[in-house]
Amino acid sequence: MCSPQHRRDVGAYVLGVLGAADAFRFEEHLEDCPLCAGAVVEFGGVTAVLGRYARLTPPGVDPVARAGPGLVRRATELVAAGRRRTRRLVLGAAAVVLAAGAPFVVPGEGAGGGRWAASDRGSGMTAVVTAGAREWGADVGLEVSGVPESGVCSLVAVGRDGDEETVATWSSAGPGEAPLRLGGGAALRPGDIARFEVRTAAGRPLLRLTR
């Protein structure tokens, strides 16, 4: 059951300030709560913008004092996009699963966009990520099947400079699950992304996607 405390823990979990034990309990809760799983995705986009902003702030400059309307606008856009994704996550139930063959629109590659794909013959897992360039970063679509184990998974964008951003988080039912299709966003632009990784809640890579 989703409690008020669970909803309060969402922001702390995304920001990485929950203790190890509390984070572990919250991840167990995520496996059965589509509302919190959707909220994690929603907050993840804003966290990505704020983290990148802080990294680009010159040493000795207060990032809060430097914040301007552009940062607020980009964060607001990501909140709106996250809320749209959250509604899709809730409709998809606990695993954010859409029926195989259901209509799904992925971001067009277009100018500055990109496509990353990978498959693992051993586990049978395959995934395709398509990213479309946006003013605030990248609009990302994921199609994945054959996830070899159940539990919370995340799609992580890895930048050419080593920066990492969580694009989406979902709960997987494991082998035999229908193909999963979902959307997310990243503050990194498609041209700055070296690869994507599907990881377990513990951070272990399940699949690495390259161009």
Side-chain angles (χ1 to χ4, degrees):
M1 181 179 294
C2 186
S3 69
Q5 182 60 50
H6 286 133
R7 300 296 287 174
R8 287 192 293 270
D9 284 344
V10 168
Y13 176 75
V14 173
L15 292 172
V17 297
L18 278 182
D22 289 337
F24 179 78
R25 285 192 291 270
F26 184 71
E27 287 170 353
E28 287 187 321
H29 170 72
L30 281 178
E31 295 183 8
D32 301 311
C33 182
L35 291 176
C36 284
V40 166
V41 174
E42 177 178 340
F43 275 93
V46 177
T47 303
V49 169
L50 296 176
R52 189 163 181 81
Y53 173 79
R55 289 191 298 271
L56 294 175
T57 299
V61 176
D62 183 355
V64 177
R66 182 173 174 260
L71 175 66
V72 175
R73 177 176 52 78
R74 290 194 297 274
T76 302
E77 288 173 352
L78 280 173
V79 169
R83 285 175 179 161
R84 290 192 293 272
R85 292 194 298 274
T86 297
R87 286 194 289 272
R88 292 200 295 270
L89 289 168
V90 173
L91 291 173
V96 203
V97 175
L98 301 179
F104 178 70
V105 179
V106 298
E109 293 182 37
R115 182 179 183 275
W116 294 256
S119 62
D120 185 334
R121 293 183 179 178
S123 66
M125 182 177 177
T126 62
V128 176
V129 169
T130 306
R134 298 292 182 267
E135 181 183 353
W136 43 264
D139 189 14
V140 180
L142 167 68
E143 297 186 56
V144 60
S145 63
V147 178
E149 55 191 75
S150 61
V152 175
C153 296
S154 60
L155 177 66
V156 178
V158 182
R160 297 185 185 281
D161 58 0
D163 285 347
E164 297 185 355
E165 295 180 9
T166 298
V167 174
T169 303
W170 72 95
S171 182
S172 170
E177 183 180 54
L180 171 71
R181 300 164 182 171
L182 58 89
L188 285 168
R189 297 185 181 279
D192 296 327
I193 299 173
R195 67 180 185 278
F196 285 90
E197 294 186 2
V198 177
R199 299 178 181 174
T200 66
R204 178 169 54 84
L206 294 174
L207 196 66
R208 296 184 178 182
L209 292 78
T210 57
R211 285 181 183 257

